[in-house]
Amino acid sequence: MTRLLVRARRLAVYRTAIDALSASPWLRALVVAVVPVLWVLVTNLAPLVQMVAISLLDRYPLPPGETAAWTTRHYRAFVERPLYLNAFTRSFVFATLVTALTLAVMFPVAYYLSKAAPRSWRVRLILLVVAPFWTSEIIRSFAWILMLANRGAVNSALMWLGLSDAPVEMLYSRFSLAVGVIYLSSLYMLLPLYAALEKIDDRLLEAAADLGARPLTRLRRIVLPLARDGIVVGCTLVFLLAVGLYAMPQLLGGPGDTLFAATIGQVFGRAGDSWPLGSAFSIILILAALGWVGLFAALVGRGGRRRVVR
Amino acid sequence: MTTPLTRRRVIGGIGAAGVGALAAPSLIRPASAQTSTLNVWSYSGFVTDEFRRKFEAETGITVNLRLVSDQGEQFNLMVAEGGRHSADIVCVAGHRFYQFVDAGLLEPVDLDRLSNWSQVEEEYAVAHWVSRRGRIWGVPLVVVTTGLIYNTEAMEAPESLAVMFDPANAGRTSYQIQDFFPLVMNYLGFDGSARAYAHDHAIAQRAVDATRDFLIEHKDKVRRYYDAATEVQQLLVNGDVTVAAGSSGPAAQLILDGFPAGYVIPREGGLAYAYGFNIAAGAANMDNAYTFLNALLASPENGAAIVRSTGFNSAIKGVEPLLSDAERAVLALSADERARLSWVDVETAAFIFDLIDTAAEEIRAA
């Protein structure tokens, strides 16, 4: 390697490039950033741009040799056919509720792991929580099907304990879907919360307690404001995951629980040239989800800043 | 002697692996370009493991099987490939194949190369869902009927589709929307085949909208809209539903497996259609495709094996004597039930299913 560098140094082009990089930190940053930026552009932005382009076509896919006209009618279809709006609204309400529930469930867990659990046990406990996530979403969905089915583990236990005479219908309902999605998304809430809570100096809480602050007051005035970033990140991740879920609602949800992502999937799956409609719906979902998350982050962020200023 | 692992060797190895990975696309030729392979898209059970092993051993042709579950998915993938199909053989439903033919996705069958064509049951070989514009476009494989599957321990044999909308069965029914939709159109007094509306899209749209609204109104009776045949079997076996609209295949399999299930064609009628194997337009392995189809038709044992793995009736000659009494009993329909069946109208199918597909999305979304 050293020999190679010595030989390369003899080349004027190499020397000029190295000298330029040595002289300019901006150029060094640019060179370092080129690969990741290109990666983001190619893998993330290019498919989106293509989807926007398809959404504005009259029809797609096209048989060889045919062309399509430009149109915005697929975006208009979203408001003209109110039944699609149902699934769209349901997705946002569902994702918001699931995010709130996941936060409520995972906050105490994250707090325990970061503040109450013995330090030597923390890594092991986190690994225990993470372990189910080594399997795929589909396998975990089927695990819940086995748990919640009429002849599943939960119903068998209820009937064996004499708490129920007949199976309680839990599967293919909003309940089973919510349980599955909270389970699925819990890790995405836990890790940012843990990271934020772990950083809070224990002495702050001890000082507050010494000064007479009750546990709820300490939670409201110290823990929550200082964990704000973790809450925002966790809620954002969980919301974006929940609002775009496809497989789990198909497996665990009932006939009244179709989310907008599933509707988009059906539109894409229709035999014919309906991809522009599916693409338009996808773009609408992406923009609305980002808008919703942006609004949430702005509101929570502003609230947090006000509290700090005070 | 062991070679010590140095940083230089590791870096060199990673570099070589990287170069190899970058060069891989040019080294690995696509499967479709090889001559000893055959790429088949098929529903589960249509290419049995036994047949596949025997075919590969006898011909040296490797079958690359990709399972499909939906006609729309298959159609869109083929169109998206822009005429350079990765499949040599696809599995198209009889009532959907006009759409595939008209989109230029299929190759007409050259009967001179398909020496075993005479092994197709005559009534299916001349059926209107096999030919178009004077050409044969596929090899019929199985015949499907749609009716009601029910748990015999939970209810009497239903006579009418009304059982699917009975408040007593709230949350205890299931169906695949697109398959059930034409039956419900008939139930409501519309023409599920859309033959009557072929020249008036507005009337067809009104009939579809009314049926859609009816199904949305009765959404509380549905436990689950299923997509795959195995799902409806699971729903019945797990006790999640007592009655479902479904096809003969899953029903026959349940009965043969000993589950207390029954299958009836309701008085409002049922639909019949076929699945077949079709050759993709410009298939890269055309010779292998004909070898495969000839091998499949060569023996009624192959047809019997497909019957056992799918539960559907075979379109290949000589299969029935090979089935057991129990299998024959399960697959047979009474004369009355057969009279209530109507074949999906291939001329209007693409038109009406286009409307039904949209309605199905809206029913789910509602």
Side-chain angles (χ1 to χ4, degrees):
Chain A
M1 182 60 93
T2 314
R3 272 204 305 271
L4 188 70
L5 290 174
V6 170
R7 277 185 199 160
R9 189 73 197 165
R10 288 178 198 147
L11 298 171
V13 178
Y14 178 79
R15 278 201 308 277
T16 312
I18 290 296
D19 291 346
L21 283 172
S22 305
S24 165
W26 285 107
L27 198 57
R28 284 202 299 276
L30 185 69
V31 168
V32 170
V34 157
V35 172
V37 167
L38 274 179
W39 177 262
V40 169
L41 287 178
V42 170
T43 58
N44 291 350
L45 209 56
L48 279 177
V49 170
Q50 192 189 18
M51 195 170 271
V52 171
I54 290 175
S55 73
L56 294 169
L57 292 176
D58 187 39
R59 61 204 176 93
Y60 191 91
L62 297 165
E66 291 190 19
T67 54
W70 297 100
T71 178
T72 55
R73 75 181 167 95
H74 304 296
Y75 288 91
R76 291 200 304 273
F78 176 70
V79 282
E80 285 168 2
R81 302 200 77 130
L83 289 171
Y84 289 133
L85 271 173
N86 280 358
F88 180 81
T89 312
R90 185 183 300 127
S91 285
F92 276 76
V93 171
F94 176 78
T96 306
L97 287 175
V98 159
T99 305
L101 282 171
T102 310
L103 177 64
V105 171
M106 295 317 292
F107 195 90
V109 178
Y111 190 85
Y112 173 78
L113 288 173
S114 60
K115 295 290 168 207
R119 276 192 185 276
S120 57
W121 274 85
R122 285 182 192 172
V123 174
R124 273 173 257 185
L125 288 172
I126 288 173
L127 277 176
L128 200 67
V129 176
V130 170
F133 292 83
W134 295 342
T135 58
S136 77
E137 176 190 346
I138 305 288
I139 292 172
R140 278 179 280 156
S141 298
F142 276 105
W144 278 111
I145 290 175
L146 292 175
M147 292 279 285
L148 300 176
N150 276 10
R151 291 175 190 166
V154 175
N155 267 315
S156 299
L158 287 175
M159 288 163 79
W160 184 74
L161 292 169
L163 296 172
S164 166
D165 294 331
V168 181
E169 296 194 342
M170 291 176 278
L171 196 57
Y172 309 129
S173 65
R174 207 152 291 176
F175 168 75
S176 59
L177 180 57
V179 167
V181 175
I182 289 171
Y183 176 63
L184 177 77
S185 58
S186 55
L187 186 71
Y188 301 95
M189 184 66 84
L190 177 72
L191 293 183
L193 283 180
Y194 175 80
L197 290 170
E198 215 265 338
K199 272 193 253 169
I200 298 175
D201 193 335
D202 291 344
R203 288 172 301 182
L204 272 176
L205 300 172
E206 286 162 11
D210 290 345
L211 292 169
R214 291 170 182 276
L216 271 179
T217 309
R218 297 202 295 270
L219 176 74
R220 196 168 51 84
R221 301 292 297 273
I222 299 173
V223 176
L224 286 179
L226 291 176
R228 193 189 67 221
D229 289 349
I231 293 171
V232 171
V233 172
C235 288
T236 302
L237 288 174
V238 171
F239 179 84
L240 290 176
L241 181 82
V243 83
L245 269 182
Y246 178 76
M248 193 169 262
Q250 300 280 81
L251 293 169
L252 295 178
D257 305 318
T258 301
L259 302 184
F260 199 56
T263 304
I264 292 170
Q266 285 151 23
V267 173
F268 273 114
R270 199 196 303 168
D273 45 18
S274 59
W275 288 16
L277 185 65
S279 300
F281 284 7
S282 303
I283 298 298
I284 290 169
L285 179 64
I286 290 168
L287 292 178
L290 289 178
W292 191 249
V293 164
L295 187 68
F296 170 74
L299 285 175
V300 175
R302 197 162 50 193
R305 272 194 296 277
R306 264 201 219 115
R307 200 166 290 124
V308 171
V309 169
R310 241 188 274 155
Chain B
M1 192 181 84
T2 55
T3 310
L5 196 64
T6 62
R7 191 176 58 176
R8 184 169 296 187
R9 281 180 195 280
V10 170
I11 292 169
I14 292 171
V19 170
L22 288 171
S26 61
L27 298 173
I28 302 167
R29 296 174 64 207
S32 59
Q34 294 174 13
T35 53
S36 61
T37 60
L38 180 70
N39 302 299
V40 181
W41 291 0
S42 168
Y43 284 83
S44 174
F46 287 16
V47 179
T48 62
D49 290 342
E50 190 188 347
F51 171 75
R52 186 178 173 182
R53 268 197 301 274
K54 198 175 159 203
F55 175 77
E56 288 182 338
E58 286 176 359
T59 63
I61 297 169
T62 304
V63 176
N64 298 318
L65 186 63
R66 175 184 174 153
L67 293 181
V68 295
S69 59
D70 183 68
Q71 292 289 299
E73 170 197 350
Q74 201 174 215
F75 181 92
N76 287 336
L77 284 173
M78 290 187 81
V79 174
E81 286 176 336
R84 299 176 65 183
H85 302 304
S86 56
D88 302 303
I89 288 182
V90 293
C91 187
V92 179
H95 59 286
R96 291 272 193 175
F97 102 104
Y98 274 28
Q99 205 173 2
F100 284 71
V101 172
D102 293 345
L105 303 177
L106 302 182
E107 191 83 16
V109 176
D110 181 353
L111 293 183
D112 292 336
R113 297 173 76 181
L114 194 61
S115 52
N116 288 329
W117 174 253
S118 58
Q119 297 308 305
V120 177
E121 289 276 11
E122 264 137 40
E123 67 172 302
Y124 304 132
V126 297
H128 57 308
W129 39 263
V130 174
S131 61
R132 182 155 179 77
R133 298 196 292 262
R135 309 287 304 264
I136 300 286
W137 294 86
V139 176
L141 203 62
V142 294
V143 176
V144 181
T145 65
T146 60
L148 296 175
I149 313 171
Y150 63 99
N151 183 330
T152 53
E153 287 179 352
M155 66 192 307
E156 296 286 315
E159 292 177 358
S160 164
L161 279 189
V163 73
M164 297 291 286
F165 313 112
D166 186 342
N169 290 321
R172 312 290 294 159
T173 74
S174 180
Y175 51 85
Q176 202 276 346
I177 300 176
Q178 278 95 333
D179 285 352
F180 190 47
F181 205 95
L183 302 183
V184 182
M185 286 179 76
N186 289 337
Y187 173 74
L188 295 176
F190 301 113
D191 178 6
S193 75
R195 229 170 280 138
Y197 319 127
H199 303 293
D200 196 332
H201 284 212
I203 297 178
Q205 187 67 64
R206 280 201 294 276
V208 167
D209 286 350
T211 310
R212 176 200 65 194
D213 294 343
F214 178 81
L215 287 174
I216 291 172
E217 189 189 326
H218 289 90
K219 214 171 171 179
D220 63 315
K221 315 296 184 305
V222 184
R223 186 73 192 271
R224 181 165 172 74
Y225 300 123
Y226 69 85
D227 291 312
T230 47
E231 280 181 73
V232 72
Q233 291 173 327
Q234 285 165 13
L235 288 167
L236 281 156
V237 170
N238 287 333
D240 291 315
V241 303
T242 50
V243 59
S247 62
S248 46
Q253 284 179 318
L254 277 178
I255 297 166
L256 288 170
D257 285 347
F259 181 79
Y263 177 71
V264 293
I265 306 297
R267 66 166 172 261
E268 293 84 5
L271 294 177
Y273 54 90
Y275 283 108
F277 277 146
N278 310 69
I279 301 174
N285 301 298
M286 190 70 79
D287 291 341
N288 295 348
Y290 278 102
T291 307
F292 178 85
L293 294 175
N294 273 318
L296 193 64
L297 293 175
S299 168
E301 287 286 358
N302 299 333
I306 294 171
V307 170
R308 290 188 190 107
S309 63
T310 64
F312 296 126
N313 283 295
S314 177
I316 299 174
K317 276 181 189 169
V319 167
E320 203 175 324
L322 300 175
L323 302 176
S324 67
D325 290 343
E327 286 166 343
R328 271 196 296 274
V330 165
L331 291 170
L333 290 173
S334 70
D336 280 351
E337 286 182 307
R338 280 203 304 276
R340 286 185 220 132
L341 287 173
S342 56
W343 283 87
V344 175
D345 190 316
V346 281
E347 292 288 353
T348 55
F351 149 67
I352 192 66
F353 275 106
D354 195 34
L355 300 181
I356 289 175
D357 283 346
T358 305
E361 287 154 18
E362 292 180 325
I363 290 167
R364 280 184 187 257

